[in-house]
Structures are given as structure tokens and as C-alpha cells.
Amino acid sequence: MWKKTFTKHYTNVTKEAVWKAWADVNHWGHWDEELEYCQMNDGDAFADGTVFIMKPVSGPKIKIILYDVVPMQCFSDYCRFPGAKMSDVHTIETVGDGVQISNTTTMTGLLGFIWVQLVGKSVAKGIAEQTDNLVEYARAHYE
């Protein structure tokens, strides 16, 4: 199993604003420059078992499944590749004068070592900038 975690403390943004940005899947491409688009069907809830399509700028469409969704606290998502599964755990908590956001990306499966090289390392490399962009978007659109 391969795992990478990113954690950062942010001020001048609320958990509610960040959560609203996370839950607005169809607008993830507005703050994540590595995405061409994300598409969740109208009426689908940001909840366990919900499936949406993510289209990275430099790759094919991917089916993403949400799980362990706890509003205002955390959510997880995963996608499958031949012989591997990539999961992301996203958490937010109030800490002192702001919020702490964490993202843990894991790759498991018999062929996981290949997918780490093809996808995982690139995803992990972009998490810091992606999270900073998420917070800026949340401040601008949900505060």
C-alpha cells in the first residue's frame, strides 16, 4: 500500500464554507486546475454511495464513489484502476483561529505500484495547491 498525507491550517475561512465548496462537486473544476470538469447528476446528494464523473485535464473520465461522508467533518472517495484502487480521505476540523484540512491519498491492490507511478504521485504532488485553491474559492463564494 502507498500513502501520502497533506495537512494545513487556514485562517479566515469557516468549516461551513469549505464544506459547501466540497459538496458542490459540479464546480470542483473552478478551484482544481487539474480537472476539466466533475459531473454529479442534479438531485444527487453529497452522501455515501453517490457516484460522479471526474475528467482530469490530462486523462480519461473516471468514476468516483463517495463514502464515509460526515457533513462538516469528512468525506472519502475512491476510484478503481485495473488491479488497483485509489482512495482519498478529506477531513476538516476547527483548530484555534481557523480550520485544519487534511487529505490522505492511498493506492492499494496487486498493481497499485504501477498506478502510483502513473497517477498517484501526480495526484499527491498537486494536493497542496489544490487545497489552497479550494480555500480561496470557499472564501470568495461561500463566506
Side-chain angles (χ1 to χ4, degrees):
M1 179 177 80
W2 173 87
K3 181 193 284 191
K4 289 290 181 186
T5 299
F6 170 81
T7 301
K8 187 172 177 180
H9 183 264
Y10 294 90
T11 57
N12 300 319
V13 69
T14 63
K15 281 174 50 170
E16 293 79 11
V18 172
W19 187 262
K20 286 177 184 177
W22 272 340
D24 189 5
V25 172
N26 289 340
H27 288 101
W28 283 9
H30 292 191
W31 51 265
D32 186 342
E33 297 172 358
E34 295 177 10
L35 296 179
E36 189 173 315
Y37 66 84
C38 284
Q39 184 178 23
M40 183 171 12
N41 291 330
D42 289 339
D44 282 355
F46 191 76
D48 290 357
T50 298
V51 176
F52 63 92
I53 301 301
M54 176 183 287
K55 170 63 174 84
V57 170
S58 61
K61 293 178 186 177
I62 303 166
K63 182 171 82 170
I64 306 290
I65 298 95
L66 296 173
Y67 67 101
D68 292 341
V69 178
V70 180
M72 301 299 172
Q73 293 181 35
C74 61
F75 76 95
S76 300
D77 60 71
Y78 73 89
C79 64
R80 294 192 181 277
F81 302 112
K85 178 181 176 182
M86 186 169 74
S87 302
D88 282 301
V89 177
H90 311 263
T91 62
I92 187 166
E93 59 184 314
T94 301
V95 176
D97 63 344
V99 297
Q100 180 171 291
I101 299 174
S102 294
N103 178 284
T104 299
T105 304
T106 59
M107 188 76 72
T108 58
L110 188 60
L111 299 178
F113 70 99
I114 293 171
W115 290 102
V116 166
Q117 300 303 317
L118 295 174
V119 179
K121 286 184 178 181
S122 176
V123 168
K125 182 179 176 185
I127 295 293
E129 181 179 357
Q130 177 192 96
T131 306
D132 289 347
N133 291 345
L134 163 69
V135 169
E136 287 301 316
Y137 184 83
R139 284 178 183 141
H141 292 88
Y142 299 107
E143 289 286 23

